[in-house]
Amino acid sequence: MLNGELTAALNDQMVFEISSAYIYLGMAAALERMNLPGCAHWMRIQADEELIHADIFYRYINDNSAAVELQAIPKPEFDSSGVLAVFKGALKHEKIVTSRIDKLAALAMKNNSFATLNFLNFFVTEQVQEEKSVQEIIDQLELAGNSKEALLFIDNKLAARAAATAPAAAATV
């Protein structure tokens, strides 16, 4: 059973995951306007992944007989002045997500909620990969500089990102 403090924090994270999807959807739209459909596709998959994460939190809260509390989703704010700015914004956002997940894990430990700590382990590990993947794209964009050919190559590469699916590990918690 989850206590009130932990339930509230898990609900906040669930809503934050939905908000993250909204941010990535906005980034995808900005990249579409830049005529970078591969980059936009990458961000849409990112948005889908965040909705999957929100669903995992939703199920965990419900599975523990706690109340799911929905909240308002704020309008996404990010720098859309160029493709590099968008991806740097995505990395900044992922670092915020990492910090939030770490705080949730600390809260689970403080409350001796070992099941919640085990549940959050997936997200702790996931965030390492999330930050790494966005950083790799930023590194490639920075190497490309002003080369339109290199940008088109990167865009084409990002178009190959596979659709997001719920991770097997998260389905078992």
Side-chain angles (χ1 to χ4, degrees), residues 4-142:
E5 179 183 31
L6 201 47
T7 298
L10 290 166
N11 270 297
D12 285 346
Q13 187 61 35
M14 176 193 66
V15 172
F16 191 80
E17 297 288 341
I18 296 168
S19 178
S20 295
Y22 202 39
I23 290 168
Y24 288 126
L25 190 59
M27 290 178 171
L31 292 162
E32 290 281 2
R33 287 189 303 275
M34 292 177 210
N35 294 313
L36 295 167
C39 292
H41 168 78
W42 193 94
M43 284 294 178
R44 286 189 61 99
I45 298 297
Q46 194 69 14
D48 292 345
E49 189 175 279
E50 301 305 336
L51 291 175
I52 290 168
H53 293 168
D55 183 61
I56 294 168
F57 277 95
Y58 175 93
R59 287 184 294 127
Y60 185 77
I61 294 165
N62 269 324
D63 288 350
N64 282 278
S65 302
V68 169
E69 300 272 339
L70 300 180
Q71 303 162 23
I73 306 297
K75 179 181 177 184
E77 300 287 335
F78 58 91
D79 182 353
S80 61
S81 62
V83 63
L84 184 58
V86 171
F87 278 95
K88 283 185 174 183
L91 180 60
K92 180 180 176 185
H93 184 74
E94 286 300 333
K95 288 179 182 285
I96 292 168
V97 175
T98 299
S99 174
R100 291 177 61 95
I101 296 295
D102 288 349
K103 287 176 184 171
L104 269 175
L107 183 62
M109 284 191 289
K110 175 185 155 205
N111 285 282
N112 294 321
S113 182
F114 301 110
T116 302
L117 188 59
N118 186 52
F119 163 75
L120 291 169
N121 187 55
F122 163 77
F123 292 99
V124 170
T125 304
E126 170 83 359
Q127 281 310 118
V128 173
Q129 183 57 37
E130 291 289 340
E131 288 187 29
K132 179 182 178 226
S133 66
V134 180
Q135 185 63 60
E136 287 174 349
I137 295 167
I138 290 168
D139 292 346
Q140 291 173 2
L141 289 169
E142 287 176 338

Side-chain angles (χ1 to χ4, degrees), residues 132-173:
K132 179 182 178 226
S133 66
V134 180
Q135 185 63 60
E136 287 174 349
I137 295 167
I138 290 168
D139 292 346
Q140 291 173 2
L141 289 169
E142 287 176 338
L143 282 172
N146 293 324
S147 170
K148 291 181 181 180
E149 295 84 2
L151 178 57
L152 290 175
F153 177 81
I154 294 166
D155 186 63
N156 189 50
K157 180 181 169 188
L158 295 181
R161 184 178 185 187
T165 58
T172 61
V173 290

